[in-house]
Amino acid sequence: MMLGTTLLILLAMIALSIPIAAVLGTLGLALDQLFSGGYLWRGLAENAWQTSIDYLLFAIPMFVLLGEILLRAGIAQRMYTALAQWLSWLPGGLMHSNVGACALFAATSGSSVATAATIGTVALPEVDKRGYNERLFLGTLAAGGTLGILIPPSINLIVYGMLTDTSVPELYLAGFIPGFMLAALFMVMVVVFCLIRPSLDGSHVRTSWADRFRVLPDLLPPLAIFLVVVGSIYAGIATPTEAASLGVIAALVLAARNRSLTLDMLRQAIEGTMRTTAMVMLIIVAAIFLNFVLGMIGLTQALAQFITSLGLDPFETLLIIIAFYLILGCFMETLSMLITTAPIITPIVVALGYDPVWFGILLMVMLETALITPPIGVNLYVVQGVRGRGSMNDVMIGIIPFVLSMFVMIGLLVAFPAIALWLPRLFY
């Protein structure tokens, strides 16, 4: 009864289009009244305070600010133009630049929404100019943007590490190979579709080896920031939070070098960071309170007992969990889904004998799928918002091949856990 009531209230509020932070907070208060006599709400202030001062979460505004500076300093535009020179010879042309630029930007910003919005802003003017199939082009931007939560440094991996007491440096190492493998799968999908239907392709950027080498320096800034952020963690110089701050300093230095560091640019970057951080932290605070209530009323234990009572072996249970996430992702925003479910599901998965680092990467891929599956897929709305015309159906149709690529990646991770675990085991 407790499980059914919780699910019913949750789906009802989502169907009413209530903001997700309000959904999570209200659900916590409702369950408190129904199953614990209305006493748990008194812990809301303590939960909110303890969550807000968590040192690890300070990395979130730093990574958001890092992405804002790269966008407003024009570094993302130069990076995209340089990648176009190197990748335009492939069937699909600039669509490979979309995926490649998303992968590089993801390695600096840590945010899928920021990645999709930034690269979409830079790339979309090329659709009409070069005659690409708009649906597939939009699909590469929405799918490529999802790489922001898998390729380090990822904000979602930090949150997962905090919620499940899993090492963030190990999670970062585990995300490297799957992240770039998924980007490669996206590019393979573009090549296959453009070879089967050449009409999907557009005119390619005319270039020469001299031009390619001339623009190579434009690819160095994101790589430099990546080395500063991730390198400082594994060199033992900085924690993930300190590394994010070092990344911001590096981005400011690059912006000054490009002569784009102005007070107006800083004001816009800080305002954008404050808006995004406020939204993220409100969701986190509401979800942490909900998790507190779920634990106190015994719902977590009830769910674990229900799964155990099914009498399934570990692999069958894992398949049910994967199906659960893929279905839930159609109706729930990814960050709230991560915060709400990870503390409940991860102990069950670990008890089945699976590695929490491996499951964290698998979970990120499933969350990536949720980012591009209607009706709640955030990246679909981000790309459509940047596009500013036409129907949302174009983005939804264009994303289908890349959802299939994500299913392939999920299958590969389940069949070959070493894809995620080889690097962490090598270093640790």
Side-chain angles (χ1 to χ4, degrees):
M1 178 181 176
M2 193 185 301
L3 283 169
T5 303
T6 303
L7 188 61
L8 183 63
I9 296 173
L10 176 64
L11 293 178
M13 286 192 288
I14 291 174
L16 292 172
S17 300
I18 298 173
I20 195 66
V23 168
L24 300 177
T26 304
L27 179 59
L29 293 171
L31 294 176
D32 176 25
Q33 291 293 326
L34 290 172
F35 299 109
S36 72
Y39 295 106
L40 297 179
W41 68 269
R42 297 175 183 177
L44 176 58
E46 178 69 16
N47 271 276
W49 173 249
Q50 291 298 328
T51 301
S52 301
I53 63 173
D54 191 301
Y55 178 70
L56 195 58
L57 291 183
F58 288 173
I60 292 176
M62 291 295 101
F63 280 127
V64 174
L65 180 58
L66 173 56
E68 290 278 344
I69 293 171
L70 292 179
L71 171 61
R72 300 181 192 282
I75 295 171
Q77 171 72 59
R78 294 187 182 91
M79 177 185 69
Y80 183 85
T81 303
L83 280 173
Q85 299 281 344
W86 282 92
L87 299 176
S88 63
W89 62 274
L90 290 166
L94 288 181
M95 287 187 276
H96 296 289
S97 301
N98 294 348
V99 177
C102 284
L104 277 183
F105 195 82
T108 60
S109 74
S111 166
S112 286
V113 171
T115 300
T118 301
I119 306 305
T121 301
V122 172
L124 278 171
E126 301 292 333
V127 174
D128 295 330
K129 181 179 175 182
R130 297 190 178 274
Y132 284 93
N133 177 272
E134 190 167 15
R135 287 177 172 175
L136 191 60
F137 198 93
L138 294 168
T140 60
L141 291 170
T146 66
L147 297 171
I149 65 172
L150 182 57
I151 296 176
S154 161
I155 292 172
N156 287 50
L157 283 176
I158 291 175
V159 174
Y160 173 84
M162 179 201 71
L163 293 173
T164 62
D165 198 25
T166 306
S167 166
V168 173
E170 286 191 52
L171 288 167
Y172 275 8
L173 280 173
F176 275 112
I177 295 175
F180 288 105
M181 276 185 66
L182 188 56
L185 283 173
F186 291 160
M187 296 174 75
V188 168
M189 194 64 73
V190 170
V191 169
V192 169
F193 270 73
C194 288
L195 288 176
I196 294 174
R197 290 187 60 189
S199 61
L200 298 176
D201 206 347
S203 63
H204 293 197
V205 174
R206 292 185 179 182
T207 187
S208 64
W209 283 106
D211 289 334
R212 287 176 178 144
F213 286 113
R214 179 179 54 81
V215 297
L216 267 181
D218 292 333
L219 294 176
L220 295 180
L223 293 175
I225 291 176
F226 176 77
L227 289 175
V228 167
V229 174
V230 178
S232 63
I233 294 174
Y234 296 111
I237 300 171
T239 65
T241 301
E242 293 164 346
S245 303
L246 290 175
V248 171
I249 293 172
L252 289 171
V253 170
L254 290 170
R257 181 178 173 274
N258 290 339
R259 298 181 181 177
S260 53
L261 183 59
T262 64
L263 287 176
D264 186 58
M265 186 275 278
L266 282 176
R267 179 184 59 79
Q268 293 178 27
I270 291 171
E271 285 180 358
T273 301
M274 290 174 67
R275 282 194 295 269
T276 303
T277 303
M279 176 192 69
V280 170
M281 287 305 300
L282 186 60
I283 293 173
I284 289 176
V285 167
I288 291 293
F289 172 67
L290 175 60
N291 290 335
F292 166 69
V293 173
L294 294 179
M296 294 300 293
I297 66 175
L299 185 64
T300 306
Q301 297 88 330
L303 180 60
Q305 291 170 2
F306 170 74
I307 293 175
T308 304
S309 68
L310 295 176
L312 304 175
D313 63 38
F315 181 69
E316 292 170 337
T317 305
L318 180 65
L319 292 181
I320 288 178
I321 290 171
I322 291 172
F324 163 75
Y325 272 108
L326 294 177
I327 294 171
L328 186 63
C330 295
F331 304 99
M332 200 170 183
E333 188 271 332
T334 53
L335 181 61
S336 52
M337 185 163 66
L338 167 64
I339 297 170
T340 306
T341 62
I344 301 172
I345 300 296
T346 304
I348 296 172
V349 173
V350 172
L352 294 173
Y354 293 105
D355 190 289
V357 173
W358 168 82
F359 181 68
I361 301 305
L362 180 66
L363 179 55
M364 290 306 119
V365 178
M366 292 188 288
L367 293 180
E368 284 184 306
T369 307
L371 279 168
I372 55 174
T373 48
I376 307 293
V378 175
N379 275 22
L380 302 178
Y381 294 94
V382 170
V383 171
Q384 176 63 16
V386 173
R387 180 192 183 201
R389 67 179 190 188
S391 169
M392 173 68 77
N393 291 336
D394 294 331
V395 191
M396 293 181 180
I397 293 172
I399 206 65
I400 293 172
F402 307 104
V403 174
L404 297 177
S405 298
M406 289 180 173
F407 289 163
V408 171
M409 191 69 234
I410 291 171
L412 289 173
L413 281 170
V414 172
F416 308 102
I419 293 173
L421 295 178
W422 180 71
L423 273 180
R425 287 172 178 171
L426 183 67
F427 275 76
Y428 293 95

